[in-house]
Amino acid sequence: MTIETCITTDIEKAARFLQAGELVAFPTETVYGLGANAYDTDAVKKIFAAKGRPESNPLIVHIGAAQDVEKTAIHIPENARMFMDSFFPGPLTLILERAPLLSSVVSAGRATVGVRMPDNEIALAFIHTSGTVVAAPSANLSGKPSPTTWEAVREDLDGRISCILMAEWTTVGLESTVVDCTVDPPVILRPGSRTLSELQGVVPSTTFSSGRSPDSHDGPRSPGTTFRHYTPEATVIVVDVVQEAVRAAAPEKKIAFIGLDSPPDISDFALTHIASGLTDYAKSVFEFFRRCDRAGVEVIYCQSVADLELGLALMDRIRRAAAR
Ligand code: TXA
Ligand code: MG
């Protein structure tokens, strides 16, 4: 069924859709989110339908003020309080024990809930005006690259959701760091722009679960990280040095390149993005994938970076885009 999608900059209008049990895509500092009232089970169910998201994959609840964590979670441990004091608002999601009043559909039936306070004025005003807490995954069709522009949201969800709260390009470009605070020491389940060393600066025992091997004993991953993700239509190939991409450039194929170093002859490529640094690379990568799809690119070469700090989060997304 197709519904009319209202595209607006009017925060109050968007909030009214949310209050009426409808879905509203809204900007955050990481990527655009697809929001529903987290206390309204029917509204939350619409998120899974609109995205084609597996119902076993839990959603993050977005709060407009740090004290609203009490509306979503109970028995909040001291480690989580310390992370909140240092990093809320910001690109960090805390996994906590779910408050009984919250729809269990939000957490896919789990006893836990992911909570985050976005560092984006429009997002915070939207949540405040809605007068509730907002369950929201990234506002893309399941499996597609996360949306960093409102146009990308429209591309995936026009006719499937009631409203897009239109704003600028998101600043971070990769989804939040997810850290499980129901265990001690806390464990990073999904890397993001809040890095392991930043978290360790607050809770030194914090660890990272790479979870590459399902049999490994380094703890569970965030369920979402086991699903196919971030995948453009084009084939994604990771290259260590630019020369590899150039050598591999078959003239009959439409190819693209994103990385930190410019290839010697960019005319080999239909599209290129030479990032000014790691921050720009992270901010640009998902929209670059989408641009490539729009242009009918067949192969996207992504230059690898060191698996450190923001680079760890970036390579996590790029490797999963490359895994077929
Ligand atoms: O930056 C972000 O986190 C964006 C913006 C919109 O806030 N949201 C986002 O949501 O990336 P989503 O649904 O695409 O990814 C949420 C991740 C998934 O890997 C999910 O499995 C995990 O968080 N997650 C959510 N609730 C969880 C829970 N209770 N336990 C473990 N993992 C959880
Ligand atoms: Mg997502």
Side-chain angles (χ1 to χ4, degrees):
M1 197 185 68
T2 305
I3 56 176
E4 194 185 331
T5 303
C6 166
I7 300 177
T8 182
T9 56
D10 184 338
I11 290 173
E12 290 187 1
K13 194 171 182 183
R16 282 197 295 275
F17 278 111
L18 197 96
Q19 288 162 345
E22 299 298 330
L23 302 186
V24 178
F26 64 98
T28 80
E29 80 281 36
T30 58
V31 301
Y32 275 73
L34 178 59
N37 179 353
Y39 290 106
D40 181 340
T41 300
D42 290 337
V44 173
K45 282 184 178 163
K46 288 183 188 170
I47 291 178
F48 292 89
K51 277 183 61 100
R53 183 182 178 98
E55 279 174 15
S56 56
N57 192 4
L59 308 174
I60 294 170
V61 177
H62 296 67
I63 57 176
Q67 67 267 23
D68 286 351
V69 73
E70 316 286 348
K71 295 180 181 168
T72 66
I74 50 171
H75 303 144
I76 297 160
E78 189 51 31
N79 286 340
R81 302 255 178 221
M82 284 160 60
F83 286 139
M84 287 170 56
D85 287 347
S86 298
F87 301 123
F88 274 19
L92 179 69
T93 295
L94 307 178
I95 305 299
L96 301 168
E97 204 176 315
R98 178 166 55 84
L101 273 181
L102 207 67
S103 172
S104 68
V105 178
V106 167
S107 10
R110 290 166 182 254
T112 56
V113 62
V115 185
R116 126 173 165 82
M117 180 178 173
D119 186 13
N120 175 294
E121 278 180 20
I122 296 173
L124 294 176
F126 168 62
I127 299 168
H128 278 298
T129 309
S130 302
T132 184
V133 295
V134 178
S138 48
N140 51 296
L141 286 174
S142 209
K144 290 281 173 202
S146 293
T148 51
T149 63
W150 70 266
E151 291 94 335
V153 177
R154 182 180 57 182
E155 195 167 71
D156 277 15
L157 298 176
D158 189 27
R160 303 172 76 93
I161 64 174
S162 292
C163 181
I164 299 172
L165 181 54
M166 185 170 91
E168 298 296 306
W169 191 303
T170 62
T171 49
V172 176
L174 301 180
E175 307 85 344
S176 62
T177 305
V178 177
V179 58
D180 187 352
C181 296
T182 65
V183 289
D184 193 8
V187 183
I188 295 179
L189 303 178
R190 177 177 74 179
S193 63
R194 276 283 160 266
T195 63
L196 176 62
S197 54
E198 285 175 315
L199 297 187
Q200 286 175 335
V202 175
V203 178
S205 58
T206 307
T207 60
F208 173 64
S209 156
S210 80
R212 294 239 160 76
S213 150
D215 304 323
S216 68
H217 296 288
D218 55 3
R221 295 209 71 173
S222 155
T225 58
T226 62
F227 294 108
R228 200 175 118 105
H229 242 91
Y230 314 120
T231 328
E233 298 299 322
T235 303
V236 174
I237 297 178
V238 183
V239 292
D240 287 333
V241 288
V242 178
Q243 266 63 28
E244 284 177 53
V246 177
R247 259 201 310 276
E252 69 276 11
K253 285 244 162 117
K254 201 165 180 185
I255 61 168
F257 174 84
I258 182 167
L260 294 174
D261 305 313
S262 180
D265 186 359
I266 62 165
S267 68
D268 291 332
F269 299 90
L271 283 175
T272 54
H273 182 83
I274 313 307
S276 59
L278 212 48
T279 306
D280 177 40
Y281 195 167
K283 177 180 170 167
S284 311
V285 68
F286 286 141
E287 186 59 23
F288 186 73
F289 285 173
R290 284 176 178 270
R291 273 178 62 205
C292 288
D293 280 350
R294 284 178 215 128
V297 166
E298 292 161 277
V299 182
I300 306 170
Y301 294 98
C302 296
Q303 187 181 15
S304 62
V305 299
D307 277 290
L308 288 171
E309 308 287 341
L310 182 60
L312 182 69
L314 178 61
M315 288 312 297
D316 169 73
R317 307 310 190 271
I318 290 175
R319 284 202 191 94
R320 280 195 285 138
R324 289 263 167 181

